[in-house]
Amino acid sequence: MLPSIIIPSSFNQSILHPSVFFLTGIPGLETSHAWISIPFCCLYAIAISGNGMILFVIITELSLHEPMYYFLSMLSFTDLGLCLSTLVTMLGIFWFNAPEISFDACIGQMFFIHGFTFMESSVLLAMAFDRFIAICNPLRYATILTNSRIIKVGFAIVIRGTMALVPLLLLLKRLSFCRSHVLHHSYCFHPDVMKLSCTDTRINSAFGLAIVISTAGLDSVLILLSYVLIIRSVLSIASPEERKKAFGTCISHISAVAIFYIPMISLSLVHRFGKHSPPLVHTLIANVYLLIPPIMNPIIYSVKTKQIRKAVLKVFRSNGSPSYVSYNIDQ
């Protein structure tokens, strides 16, 4: 008779509830991670310095203390938080070959990544409302978007972005994991972690989908509606020059909306329908979703917004000393 094999309770518990996950760098190019880290470091440096510069000039330049730029500072803050949420794990993989991340640290990273993502969606909606008021009801712009109301909007964005995640992550902690603990990304992403579970995840999937629809989904619909109203208002303007100027004030925001929602939708579609796609596809789209908005938003607003461009150039010309010279606002 063969002796029975006794599995230690600690080993069994580690299978059901893993102590670590293993993050993925660039599949198939593991030996080149040190070289691959160079462009990634440059991208992180551009994103962090760009958003930091936007925040600095808005805080120090009195001429930029207006609702439009307050919302832009919120956008830069969320982009900065999104970058910093993944910087340690990303560089840990490429520089130190350290793909391990504890389950609790993975939960924490997910909280910040998804929280800042939902907050950015809310900020883009607030910016659409700002453009709607500025174009469709300019005489009441200053009375509607007061400083106190902007502060309340900021608190509402933070609360909305964080509170929706608490039950989602608590539901994730109850799952058992008995499959491979290798994730497809260099950071913890909720659908990526959830699909490794060997228990029923229908509640998690349904709740996650409900949160996405009630946040990013609802925001995108309201943004689209606001631009329908903006276009209708602009077309009623007789002068072609005034039409061009009105549309020009929206170009930066439309670009920011596009570079945020297109990568996010692409990543969601890959996770939901691309189960048999190569791991490299998951990794590339995940990195695009993570880095493109924080990199491009400061560039877009620095190039397309005259006041931001002037303020940034003045900082460089004065070697970083804050300037308090007022500019004529040309929105």
Side-chain angles (χ1 to χ4, degrees):
M1 179 181 296
L2 294 175
S4 59
I5 300 176
I6 301 176
I7 300 177
S9 59
S10 60
F11 179 78
N12 186 45
Q13 184 66 22
S14 66
I15 292 178
L16 294 177
H17 199 279
S19 58
V20 294
F21 284 112
F22 297 93
L23 303 172
T24 302
I26 307 297
L29 299 175
E30 288 80 5
T31 57
S32 303
H33 275 177
W35 293 104
I36 296 173
S37 68
I38 296 175
F40 273 98
C41 287
C42 293
L43 293 176
Y44 270 105
I46 293 171
I48 293 173
S49 60
N51 287 287
M53 178 60 70
I54 294 292
L55 284 171
F56 177 78
V57 298
I58 291 175
I59 292 172
T60 58
E61 194 67 39
L62 293 178
S63 64
L64 300 181
H65 291 183
E66 294 193 356
M68 173 183 176
Y69 304 111
Y70 289 146
F71 290 129
L72 177 56
S73 67
M74 295 180 193
L75 183 67
S76 293
F77 175 78
T78 57
D79 282 335
L80 198 59
L82 195 59
C83 284
L84 296 177
S85 298
T86 59
L87 180 63
V88 174
T89 56
M90 181 82 75
L91 297 184
I93 294 171
F94 289 138
W95 284 359
F96 306 108
N97 191 28
E100 301 90 352
I101 184 171
S102 68
F103 182 74
D104 290 334
C106 191
I107 293 289
Q109 188 179 53
M110 274 189 285
F111 177 81
F112 287 106
I113 291 174
H114 293 288
F116 281 118
T117 299
F118 294 151
M119 281 190 278
E120 182 156 348
S121 177
S122 300
V123 171
L124 290 173
L125 175 59
M127 296 175 79
F129 180 73
D130 169 82
R131 292 298 84 204
F132 169 75
I133 298 298
I135 293 174
C136 300
N137 201 349
L139 297 179
R140 297 188 59 198
Y141 182 81
T143 58
I144 293 175
L145 291 176
T146 61
N147 289 342
S148 62
R149 285 179 179 170
I150 292 173
I151 292 173
K152 291 177 183 177
V153 169
F155 277 113
I157 288 172
V158 173
I159 293 172
R160 183 195 187 206
T162 56
M163 294 305 295
L165 288 173
V166 174
L168 183 69
L169 298 182
L170 290 177
L171 286 173
L172 188 65
K173 287 182 70 71
R174 73 178 181 83
L175 297 180
S176 299
F177 296 86
C178 54
R179 300 176 185 172
S180 170
H181 296 165
V182 178
L183 301 173
H184 286 103
H185 308 322
S186 53
Y187 55 88
C188 291
F189 189 63
H190 179 262
D192 197 19
V193 175
M194 184 179 61
K195 69 181 182 181
L196 297 182
S197 175
C198 55
T199 52
D200 188 4
T201 60
R202 286 178 295 181
I203 295 177
N204 298 71
S205 297
F207 193 79
L209 182 61
I211 290 178
V212 171
I213 292 174
S214 62
T215 53
L218 178 62
D219 293 346
S220 61
V221 172
L222 294 176
I223 290 172
L224 179 61
L225 176 61
S226 69
Y227 273 102
V228 170
L229 298 175
I230 287 173
I231 292 172
R232 188 179 69 174
S233 177
V234 170
L235 292 179
S236 65
I237 299 175
S239 172
E241 289 298 323
E242 291 181 357
R243 289 182 186 178
K244 182 178 179 180
K245 184 177 179 180
F247 279 126
T249 63
C250 300
I251 291 176
S252 299
H253 180 254
I254 293 173
S255 302
V257 170
I259 64 173
F260 174 74
Y261 281 103
I262 291 175
M264 184 179 70
I265 293 172
S266 300
L267 183 60
S268 299
L269 291 176
V270 166
H271 271 285
R272 190 163 293 273
F273 303 110
K275 296 180 180 179
H276 302 291
S277 59
L280 184 61
V281 174
H282 288 262
T283 303
L284 291 177
I285 294 179
N287 289 329
V288 167
Y289 157 78
L290 175 71
L291 290 173
I292 291 301
I295 290 171
M296 293 304 299
N297 283 335
I299 296 174
I300 290 171
Y301 278 95
S302 296
V303 171
K304 294 293 184 180
T305 307
K306 182 179 179 181
Q307 291 70 36
I308 294 293
R309 184 170 65 252
K310 284 185 175 181
V312 171
L313 290 175
K314 185 145 192 173
V315 169
F316 282 112
R317 288 170 183 168
S318 60
N319 295 320
S321 61
S323 170
Y324 295 95
V325 178
S326 298
Y327 298 103
N328 293 326
I329 301 302
D330 182 17
Q331 297 179 5

